[in-house]
Amino acid sequence: YDHRFIISNFLDPDMQPFLLGLFLSMYLVTMLGNLLIILAVTSDSHLHTPMYFFLSILSLADMGFISTTVPRMIVNIQTHSRVISYVGCLTQMSFFILFGYMDSTLLTVMAYDRFVAICHPLHYPGIMSPRLCCFLVLVSVFVSLLDSQLHNLLVLQVACFKDVEISNFFCHPSQLLKLACFDTFTNTIIVYFVGTISGFLPISGIFFSYYKIVSSVLRVSSSAGKYKAFSTCGSHLSVVCLFYGTAIGGYLGSALSPSPKKDVETSVMYTVVTPILNPFIYSLRNRDIKRALWRILHRTA
């Protein structure tokens, strides 16, 4: 394991001090925002419901997701070092996929929660029991870990390479899988097969849940009832569109017109921008979270 990887120097040297401050600020804001949501959910008994339980787990996953890439990038900018060890690279990629896929599966679980709440309101407390909620989170973690290790097994084939340069600011799976020791065509098929299966299952679950929700809400006669039902899904839908929009956009963009600069820009969007916006989306669009945060502020004041 003497191999090492070199992260591409995609930063303009004159911009490095500015970008160091920018990414550090964004990282701290993300951590603070997600910590506040977790604190609000745990401290307010009114928020001890399945929806907010899943939201607090999503916040934890977002914190882990951004922590796998940004701190390392900040250190690299500060120390002017672009080298990462083989083991360090695989570890970073494993955690990146673990937390990224956890985000994806948790969004699916939250869509199912909204489906049960809107389509089966009378049975909601019985269906979404604490035992089922914990089981769904554990399944989410297990599936994410499985996906992470599957990617790890594929990338282990790059062990014959030494001093390879990666065209991104972290060890992105797509970059590492391009360095496989066997023919490019087979490697490409495997990459897209794994990516399609990993993405299709959560997205299909979300689509099915919202298909049922829309069908149920359209049968409601009053416009006030329809608005109330859809308003409970607004924040979740916004986060889903943001997460999958940036991920799928980057996935298709890199496939249709490969460009190191585009890969970096897209990676920044879904590894930095998405986690920082999630707390704002849920806190600004959700009265319960806002009330809980105000209570926390009043207690500390």
Side-chain angles (χ1 to χ4, degrees):
Y1 292 94
D2 294 329
H3 313 287
R4 63 178 187 166
F5 297 95
I6 301 168
I7 307 297
S8 286
N9 189 15
F10 65 94
L11 298 176
D12 183 344
D14 296 331
M15 292 288 288
Q16 285 192 9
F18 168 73
L19 290 172
L20 176 66
L22 177 66
F23 283 114
L24 180 60
S25 302
M26 292 175 78
Y27 178 70
L28 293 175
V29 169
T30 302
M31 297 300 282
L32 179 62
N34 283 292
L35 279 172
L36 283 173
I37 283 184
I38 295 168
L39 184 60
V41 171
T42 53
S43 64
D44 195 324
S45 58
H46 296 96
L47 301 182
H48 293 174
T49 62
M51 182 176 76
Y52 293 111
F53 169 68
F54 295 134
L55 176 58
S56 61
I57 303 297
L58 181 69
S59 293
L60 278 173
D62 277 337
M63 289 166 67
F65 189 51
I66 196 171
S67 294
T68 58
T69 55
V70 175
R72 175 80 198 193
M73 180 176 63
I74 291 170
V75 171
N76 287 351
I77 295 172
Q78 182 67 24
T79 59
H80 304 288
S81 170
R82 299 191 293 126
V83 176
I84 184 169
S85 69
Y86 176 78
V87 174
C89 195
L90 287 182
T91 304
Q92 186 185 55
M93 188 203 69
S94 296
F95 280 108
F96 172 79
I97 296 171
L98 172 66
F99 290 117
Y101 201 65
M102 261 189 75
D103 264 7
S104 182
T105 52
L106 285 169
L107 288 172
T108 308
V109 168
M110 292 170 81
Y112 173 72
D113 172 71
R114 292 298 83 208
F115 156 69
V116 176
I118 293 170
C119 300
H120 306 284
L122 298 178
H123 302 288
Y124 180 75
I127 296 172
M128 299 304 294
S129 62
R131 182 178 294 181
L132 179 64
C133 291
C134 291
F135 174 74
L136 289 172
V137 170
L138 287 174
V139 168
S140 175
V141 173
F142 175 76
V143 171
S144 303
L145 192 60
L146 192 66
D147 187 56
S148 171
Q149 293 313 302
L150 178 60
H151 277 85
N152 235 346
L153 287 172
L154 290 172
V155 171
L156 282 172
Q157 294 166 95
V158 306
C160 57
F161 289 88
K162 191 174 183 180
D163 297 346
V164 176
E165 185 161 332
I166 299 167
S167 301
N168 213 316
F169 67 91
F170 69 102
C171 294
H172 195 283
S174 65
Q175 296 291 330
L176 296 183
L177 287 168
K178 288 176 184 176
L179 307 174
C181 301
F182 52 88
D183 65 283
T184 310
F185 178 75
T186 309
N187 188 42
T188 304
I189 294 295
I190 291 174
V191 170
Y192 281 98
F193 176 76
V194 172
T196 302
I197 295 298
S198 300
F200 175 75
L201 293 177
I203 290 174
S204 59
I206 292 170
F207 268 113
F208 177 78
S209 296
Y210 274 102
Y211 166 73
K212 290 291 187 180
I213 288 169
V214 171
S215 301
S216 178
V217 170
L218 288 177
R219 291 196 292 268
V220 176
S221 55
S222 68
S223 57
K226 289 178 182 178
Y227 174 77
K228 186 178 179 182
F230 280 128
S231 65
T232 63
C233 306
S235 298
H236 179 259
L237 266 177
S238 301
V239 172
V240 167
C241 292
L242 180 67
F243 180 81
Y244 282 106
T246 53
I248 294 172
Y251 194 71
L252 292 175
S254 61
L256 296 173
S257 57
S259 164
K261 189 178 179 183
K262 278 187 179 178
D263 287 345
V264 170
E265 289 170 355
T266 307
S267 298
V268 168
M269 277 299 295
Y270 67 81
T271 58
V272 182
V273 177
T274 301
I276 198 175
L277 288 179
N278 284 357
F280 289 102
I281 290 170
Y282 273 103
S283 59
L284 293 175
R285 291 181 61 91
N286 192 299
R287 291 177 184 175
D288 295 330
I289 292 286
K290 280 194 279 190
R291 285 196 201 103
L293 290 173
W294 276 115
R295 288 193 194 104
I296 292 169
L297 287 172
H298 284 305
R299 281 180 205 161
T300 55

